[in-house]
Amino acid sequence: MSADNALVAAIELLKQQRNAVVLAHYYQSPEIQDIADFIGDSLELSRKAANTSADVIVFCGVHFMAETAKLMSPNKKVLLPDMSAGCSLSSSITGEDVRNLKKKYPGVPVVSYVNTSADVKSETDVCCTSANAVKIVNSLGVKKVIFLPDDYLAKYVASQTDVEIISWKGTCEVHEQFNDQEINEIRKNNPGIKVIAHPECPPDVINASDFTGSTSGMIKYVKDNQPEKVMMVTECSMSDNVQVDNPNVKFIRPCNLCPHMKKITLPKILDCLQNETNEILMDEVTIEKAKKSVERMTKIGR
């Protein structure tokens, strides 16, 4: 038995013994997704885990995602295989920053991307995803909102609504690396290619693309349109994973890897299951306050 096969077998056994469910974000590498019970975006995964009878959740993603899982399953033990797996967006803003913004713009509702810490969510009126950000902003029936923390997503939302957007200068270190020159060069070398971009990308990239959508929206675009060639302007592992379900589509890279996602490995998953280490712990007040912003988003709809 190879080393990887032995690791997988040990993980599968421990999942049964611990009554654990393993979640893998779309940006995880294929070997991580292979041992996962559910694959998806952060919010979808947290919802699915909450609806299981598992006692333990192992979140193969980054820290804010594991926190969101804890918000939605406060009575389950949530483990993160590597506690240093962070996010440039999440780390760009704190709860104190939000409180200061609310003082500066009294009465203006706060909309926070799910890519934020529980501390930020606890100061937020309603959360959003990249898929429903425009819908959430429009649903509030106001002329102005504070939109956090992704500056590029805020610019995209502003282009899709008449609501005035007060943004924060956070960015995703993966998506901000792309530029329109790179895309135009890809087009020149690949006539007829379809370029689809995540709204966390800079405006010049979105303008140079054929389609802009959330992670799930990009996957649906490829599935429904089956382009001969496609470039997914997002985290690199997305192309690897979407390729599996769309064998007739040729995926043109380059793309960029998320260094935080790649901190999650099979040995780390095994270790945290064996020892139940790296548990996500939050006080009840934070859980209660942060959970409300997520629940309000859920009521408005995806």
Side-chain angles (χ1 to χ4, degrees), residues 19-179:
N19 188 27
V21 63
V22 174
L23 314 178
H25 190 268
Y26 285 126
Y27 294 173
Q28 289 296 329
S29 49
E31 71 270 15
I32 304 295
Q33 294 198 7
D34 286 345
I35 56 97
D37 298 286
F38 299 107
I39 301 165
D41 62 33
S42 60
L43 190 64
E44 177 191 6
L45 290 171
S46 294
R47 284 174 174 155
K48 286 180 176 178
N51 290 329
T52 70
S53 59
D55 297 312
V56 177
I57 297 170
V58 178
F59 209 122
C60 299
V62 296
H63 196 274
F64 80 80
M65 297 178 181
E67 281 192 337
T68 304
K70 184 65 177 179
L71 296 180
M72 301 185 79
S73 300
N75 297 320
K76 299 182 191 295
K77 182 177 283 189
V78 179
L79 309 177
L80 180 64
D82 189 322
M83 291 294 267
S84 70
C87 168
S88 61
L89 273 176
S90 181
S91 63
S92 74
I93 191 165
T94 65
E96 184 177 0
D97 291 326
V98 184
R99 289 190 289 273
N100 289 335
L101 280 168
K102 290 196 286 189
K103 288 176 186 175
K104 187 176 179 180
Y105 302 100
V108 178
V110 177
V111 178
S112 290
Y113 198 17
V114 290
N115 296 33
T116 48
S117 66
D119 184 34
V120 168
K121 288 183 177 75
S122 68
E123 298 293 338
T124 294
D125 293 293
V126 57
C127 283
C128 74
T129 66
S130 54
N132 68 12
V134 176
K135 180 179 182 179
I136 294 292
V137 167
N138 286 335
S139 75
L140 299 178
V142 295
K143 294 181 179 180
K144 184 186 299 185
V145 302
I146 298 168
F147 190 95
L148 312 169
D150 191 317
D151 190 36
Y152 292 141
L153 180 58
K155 283 181 168 63
Y156 175 75
V157 172
S159 74
Q160 304 293 311
T161 180
D162 294 328
V163 179
E164 181 184 344
I165 303 295
I166 299 165
S167 65
W168 186 257
K169 293 298 181 184
T171 56
C172 167
E173 64 188 273
V174 172
H175 291 104
E176 72 175 345
Q177 294 179 49
F178 295 101
N179 61 70

Side-chain angles (χ1 to χ4, degrees), residues 4 7-8 11 31-32 35 264-271:
D4 275 0
L7 277 170
V8 169
I11 289 168
E31 71 270 15
I32 304 295
I35 56 97
I264 309 300
T265 63
L266 290 175
K268 290 177 183 177
I269 295 168
L270 178 62
D271 182 71

